[in-house]
Amino acid sequence: LVQLQVDRTSAQGGHGANTLLLVTKNEVHQVTPSIRTQFPLQFLVPRRVPIVLPESSPDPPINAVTTHLTDSCAQTHQDGMALHPHYNHHNEEDRISMVMVATAAKRKKPQIWVSDESGLEFSLLKLSNAVKREFEKGACPMLATMGSVTYLATQSMAVFGTADFGASWSVVLPAPAQTDRLVQLQVDHILADTLLLVTKHEVYQVKPHIRSNFPLKFSSPLKLPVVLQDEIPAHPINVVAT
């Protein structure tokens, strides 16, 4: 075992995030508590998550959580890929094993890829000029799935959303005129309808307007308080990276 994760997509359809991912070098196993037992918890038998084979090559196998396409952002960034909103649906027959991955080659604009439902083939998404204009050459865009929407964010803090897993995108947060470069996109594990936009020195909290339908529009970013490491003002550490 090389990594332990809480499955961020297991909180779909209003049910709680009750799934762990056990990541080995070549496999990912999904485990959930037995719903009939009380604490101390007993897990069900680990279930292997379907693997993705890059370029349809059987060797080497790369699992869906640690997908490695050429120049894959998922190799170095946790937000370099996102799972389909129904990837871990509570009804097993309704699960859709698709993943979205960003790639970024040096001196080239990034690209976004989506796997088919078998998880074996990747297709390049045709993005609008509005999205591609926000891309920086050689810089990884960030992806995250929250609820039924998958979000794409750029270093300029522009955020786009798709309710059909990449077929169409809408602007949910235009890039502000002045801001630090965005370095990470996170789903707030405590507030299920909230995204965290992390820059080098700040963390911003954004959430959709509850009165609007898709295309989603976000409320204005709310700056979160920072924590100072050892109370030294010269070294601000944001609350997410504390």
Side-chain angles (χ1 to χ4, degrees):
L1 190 69
V2 297
Q3 193 175 78
L4 175 68
Q5 297 182 18
V6 175
D7 191 333
R8 289 194 250 176
T9 63
S10 61
Q12 299 295 332
H15 58 284
N18 65 342
T19 304
L20 287 179
L21 296 177
L22 309 178
V23 184
T24 70
K25 184 177 180 181
N26 295 308
E27 302 288 349
V28 172
H29 299 270
Q30 185 184 68
V31 291
T32 56
S34 175
I35 60 175
R36 297 180 180 179
T37 62
Q38 305 295 328
F39 194 86
L41 294 173
Q42 297 295 316
F43 275 156
L44 299 175
V45 176
R47 183 179 69 87
R48 183 181 296 175
V49 176
I51 62 173
V52 174
L53 305 180
E55 299 177 356
S56 301
S57 171
D59 184 35
I62 303 297
N63 60 56
V65 175
T66 55
T67 301
H68 287 69
L69 297 175
T70 302
D71 301 312
S72 171
C73 296
Q75 294 178 354
T76 54
H77 297 78
Q78 185 177 5
D79 52 13
M81 65 167 294
L83 305 181
H84 191 280
H86 289 172
Y87 188 92
N88 193 49
H89 197 279
H90 60 284
N91 293 325
E92 188 169 352
E93 62 273 15
D94 293 328
R95 293 178 181 176
I96 300 177
S97 299
M98 297 173 66
V99 295
M100 184 180 296
V101 185
T103 61
K106 291 182 178 179
R107 296 183 293 276
K108 292 184 178 181
K109 287 290 185 78
Q111 295 177 319
I112 306 296
W113 302 77
V114 170
S115 74
D116 60 9
E117 291 193 40
S118 70
L120 300 177
E121 297 285 347
F122 281 92
S123 299
L124 178 64
L125 288 183
K126 295 182 179 179
L127 300 173
S128 67
N129 290 331
V131 176
K132 291 190 288 187
R133 276 197 300 267
E134 298 293 338
F135 283 167
E136 295 183 20
K137 291 183 178 180
C140 284
M142 290 143 272
L143 298 166
T145 295
M146 183 175 71
S148 61
V149 180
T150 300
Y151 296 95
L152 183 156
T154 67
Q155 282 73 19
S156 63
M157 207 180 286
V159 182
F160 303 88
T162 174
D164 46 23
F165 211 57
S168 60
W169 296 85
S170 293
V171 178
V172 294
L173 184 70
Q178 293 182 340
T179 186
D180 289 340
R181 285 170 55 86
L182 190 68
V183 296
Q184 193 175 81
L185 177 66
Q186 295 184 19
V187 176
D188 193 324
H189 289 283
I190 300 174
L191 302 173
D193 63 342
T194 303
L195 286 179
L196 298 176
L197 307 177
V198 183
T199 70
K200 185 177 181 180
H201 298 293
E202 304 288 352
V203 176
Y204 297 88
Q205 185 184 71
V206 292
K207 58 178 59 181
H209 283 300
I210 59 176
R211 296 181 180 179
S212 65
N213 295 316
F214 195 85
L216 292 172
K217 295 296 182 184
F218 275 160
S219 56
S220 298
L222 173 66
K223 185 185 295 186
L224 297 181
V226 298
V227 175
L228 302 180
Q229 186 180 33
D230 297 331
E231 299 183 353
I232 302 175
H235 299 280
I237 304 297
N238 61 57
V239 293
V240 174
T242 301

